[in-house]
Amino acid sequence: MTVPTGGAAQAAPPTISVEGLSHSFTDPQTRKTVHALDDVNLEILPGDFVTVVGPSGCGKTTLLNILAGFIRPSAGKAFVNGRAIERPGADRGVVFQELAILPWRTVYRNIAHGLEIQGVAKPEIDERVNRMTSLVGLEGFEGHYPHQLSGGMRQRVAVARTWVSDPEIILMDEPFAAVDAMTRLTLQEELNDLTVRTGKTVFFITHSVEEAVFLGDRVMALSARPGRIKEEVHVPVPRAERSWERMSHDEALQDTVEHVLSLVRGEAVEPTGQDG
Ligand SMILES: Nc1ncnc2c1ncn2[C@@H]1O[C@H](COP(=O)(O)OP(=O)(O)OP(=O)(O)O)[C@@H](O)[C@H]1O
Ligand SMILES: [Mg+2]
């Protein structure tokens, strides 16, 4: 929270804003087109945790790839801190849908990887990696290789790898999809704590409506492809007060889950074939 130091308080500009964003992919061989996103508008303010749900193939990863600067939209605009997004940048860190950790590197060297590429000095890398391993509960496993870790621990490495570079914005694509239900609850509570403590801005894609409500300040429900924002749902309990214990008996949170479920329930999963 910033406290105005006098005069009229100025509204902080949105960290991310998206205006009239549409995207189509064209198969270079068949010339057939898949219309992935349609007229998406969105604002993410500093420190917001925005979650995204929608049926498979509705364009969630495409939207994340546009925000990350990996692909340019066919129409419309996306901005980060008022600048048009044209390429990836150190201000945005990505945790990918497919677990992106390097099997031949230890936990320590996986987490250190990005800092090594940036040419950060060794003592600073040590300091930052050690702080990160303890933040995500991996102390004692620094020398382990990914195959020597549980699925939940590998997931923590993936999050730590992105977090250690201290990007202002973290874009996460179903980071917990592959872990078992119990581990997932722990990782969700840990991520909630971490983001409440650090005030990071997060854009988080998931297939789980409960996860979206548990983690988000707002849940964006997307329609089936082409993905449009059906509704943005505000979650009525501050993130600092969330726990799974509370989720299980808080009526406002339960009602929110029901409401988001009703929004996504009507949306079919991705139809087979292409659009035209
Ligand atoms: N590089 C590409 N070339 C052609 N079509 C693509 C490409 N990437 C995605 N698509 C198509 O765009 C649509 C949206 O894909 P996207 O990966 O964004 O969906 P998603 O919502 O992330 O799905 P899921 O929940 O299954 O991860 C899909 O129909 C997909 O086949
Ligand atoms: Mg996806």
Side-chain angles (χ1 to χ4, degrees):
M1 286 287 137
T2 48
V3 179
T5 50
Q10 293 211 326
T15 295
I16 286 182
S17 75
V18 165
E19 295 167 10
L21 200 75
S22 297
H23 194 70
S24 297
F25 294 100
T26 304
D27 186 309
Q29 258 102 46
T30 63
R31 309 300 303 162
K32 288 208 167 160
T33 300
V34 173
H35 193 186
L37 289 170
D38 187 56
D39 194 24
V40 172
N41 297 283
L42 139 88
E43 280 200 346
I44 304 181
L45 299 176
D48 263 358
F49 198 125
V50 171
T51 53
V52 182
V53 289
S56 185
C58 76
K60 302 181 295 297
T61 298
T62 304
L63 178 56
L64 181 141
N65 282 334
I66 292 169
L67 298 180
F70 298 138
I71 56 180
R72 303 285 287 271
S74 318
K77 291 207 167 70
F79 301 91
V80 61
N81 294 324
R83 293 184 312 277
I85 297 174
E86 285 173 351
R87 59 184 70 84
D91 49 3
R92 283 151 291 149
V94 182
V95 180
F96 293 96
Q97 187 164 9
E98 286 85 28
L99 194 63
I101 63 175
L102 306 172
W104 60 88
R105 282 186 166 230
T106 61
V107 166
Y108 179 94
R109 298 211 55 232
N110 258 292
I111 300 174
H113 191 206
L115 301 178
E116 289 171 7
I117 292 170
Q118 289 167 35
V120 176
K122 180 86 177 71
E124 189 185 336
I125 292 184
D126 272 343
E127 202 266 319
R128 285 167 72 173
V129 173
N130 288 335
R131 189 152 30 95
M132 205 63 230
T133 36
S134 84
L135 260 179
V136 299
L138 285 168
E139 301 113 315
F141 292 91
E142 293 86 346
H144 283 55
Y145 287 88
H147 76 272
Q148 299 170 309
L149 303 174
S150 71
M153 292 162 99
R154 283 199 286 271
Q155 214 59 62
R156 290 193 182 101
V157 176
V159 171
R161 256 169 77 83
T162 301
W163 216 285
V164 74
S165 298
D166 201 25
E168 179 191 341
I169 302 158
I170 311 228
L171 308 169
M172 303 177 96
D173 197 350
E174 301 194 44
F176 305 148
V179 297
D180 68 89
M182 285 306 298
T183 307
R184 194 165 174 160
L185 298 184
T186 312
L187 292 175
Q188 288 158 347
E189 288 194 328
E190 286 170 359
L191 181 64
N192 186 51
D193 286 349
L194 197 58
T195 51
V196 167
R197 269 188 287 145
T198 57
K200 290 274 184 227
T201 307
V202 186
F203 178 87
F204 186 105
I205 296 170
T206 176
H207 272 116
S208 160
V209 168
E210 281 85 1
E211 178 170 87
V213 171
F214 179 71
L215 288 171
D217 293 306
R218 282 179 290 146
V219 182
M220 289 195 346
L222 296 193
S223 68
R225 199 183 73 218
R228 296 187 188 91
I229 299 181
K230 264 186 114 169
E231 195 176 318
E232 256 187 57
V233 180
H234 168 73
V235 183
V237 172
R239 282 193 289 128
E241 295 169 21
R242 309 244 183 109
S243 65
W244 277 105
E245 226 275 294
R246 174 155 186 189
M247 264 300 266
S248 61
H249 60 248
D250 187 301
E251 251 178 60
L253 289 171
Q254 289 299 322
D255 288 350
T256 310
V257 169
E258 273 309 312
H259 179 60
V260 178
L261 270 174
S262 73
L263 290 171
V264 296
R265 212 176 267 140
E267 297 299 324
V269 294
E270 181 183 23
T272 51
Q274 293 166 312
D275 298 338

